[in-house]
Amino acid sequence: MRLLTINTHSLIEKDSDKKSEILADTIIKELPHIVAMQEVNQTANAKIIDSPLLSTKDIIRSDN
């Protein structure tokens, strides 16, 4: 099993567009089974996604 983890630092680093492109290229090249991301932002007023796969304490929004 291939696992890819990344801390996105909320994509506020210098050259974040280039780093996003590198991440996308890596995912395409490596085809990980699981991708885990930390510090991924979401807008407070975006619609909440309701899914039976999420625990009741999780709040995942549509723009995350």
Side-chain angles (χ1 to χ4, degrees):
M1 178 185 305
R2 287 182 299 281
L3 172 66
L4 180 119
T5 63
I6 184 166
N7 186 323
T8 66
H9 300 131
S10 303
L11 297 176
I12 57 172
E13 294 183 343
K14 183 178 177 183
D15 300 322
S16 63
D17 289 341
K18 180 63 178 167
K19 291 177 183 181
S20 294
E21 185 179 322
I22 292 168
L23 173 60
D25 290 344
T26 300
I27 292 171
I28 292 167
K29 178 183 172 191
E30 299 297 331
L31 295 174
H33 296 102
I34 298 171
V35 176
M37 298 176 135
Q38 294 174 274
E39 295 188 36
V40 179
N41 288 350
Q42 56 190 3
T43 309
N45 62 353
K47 180 183 173 193
I48 294 175
I49 296 173
D50 184 24
S51 170
L53 300 176
L54 301 173
S55 73
T56 56
K57 65 181 180 184
D58 292 327
I59 298 175
I60 306 296
R61 298 189 182 273
S62 60
D63 63 350
N64 189 319

